[in-house]
């Protein structure tokens, strides 16, 4: 059991550090874009979902996204709160299913949900409600699209890592012991 726990923590740490480097760069690029072209900065929103998505898809274990979000945030320290906030939204669809379902649509549902919530939460920062209606709709659409792309990229990366045999010991016990992965068996059907 300690071998599984150790491999799980090391896998989360590796994903978290790599994600933190990505989020550190994305955070500063977003900050510059926000200061110059605020509308364009939301196109990068999906990058914030990427580390947690990779962890959740690869490991299929409760709180893997939050743990990776914490580690990513510590690496990209000025953006710790943002990394955790976005990781929470990646985790919510699985939490709502009490971590008994790991279907592909759940990842995308989390992306759409945060793609709607983020513009509302950040409306004052972007002065969203004073924009013309078409611009507000475009803002939401750009945010949702960015989130969907980020989640899609996270799924792609995790699936390729899984096919390469990465984190075999760290995955959910039931799947690893039966030799099943995402897309196979009742819990991982797409």
């Amino acid at each position: 059991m300690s071998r599984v726990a150790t491999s799980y923590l090391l896998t989360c740490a590796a994903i978290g550090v790599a994600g933190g480097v990505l989020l550190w760069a994305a955070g500063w690029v977003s900050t510059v874009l926000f200061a110059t072209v605020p509308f364009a900065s939301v196109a990068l929103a999906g990058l914030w979902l990427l580390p947690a998505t990779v962890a959740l898809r690869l490991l299929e274990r409760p709180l893997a996204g939050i743990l990776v979000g914490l580690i990513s945030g510590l690496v990209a320290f000025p953006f710790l709160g943002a990394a955790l906030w976005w990781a929470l939204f990646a985790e919510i669809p699985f939490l709502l299913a009490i971590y008994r379902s790991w279907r592909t649509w759940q990842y995308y549902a989390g992306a759409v949900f945060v793609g709607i919530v983020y513009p509302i939460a950040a409306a004052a920062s972007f002065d969203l409600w004073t924009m013309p209606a078409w611009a507000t709709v475009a803002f939401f659409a750009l945010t949702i699209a960015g989130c969907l792309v980020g989640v899609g990229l996270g799924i792609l990366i995790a699936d390729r890592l899984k096919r390469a045999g990465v984190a075999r010991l760290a995955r959910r016990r039931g799947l690893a012991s039966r030799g099943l992965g995402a897309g196979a068996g009742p819990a991982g059907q797409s």
Side-chain angles (χ1 to χ4, degrees), residues 17 20 29 58 78 91 93-94 101 115 132 148 163 166 169 179 189:
V17 169
V29 169
L58 181 63
E91 190 96 28
F94 306 101
S101 174
L148 290 171
R163 272 194 292 276
V166 172
L169 289 175
Q189 289 179 349

Side-chain angles (χ1 to χ4, degrees), residues 173-184:
R173 241 179 120 162
L175 291 178
S177 66
R178 291 192 308 257
L180 301 174

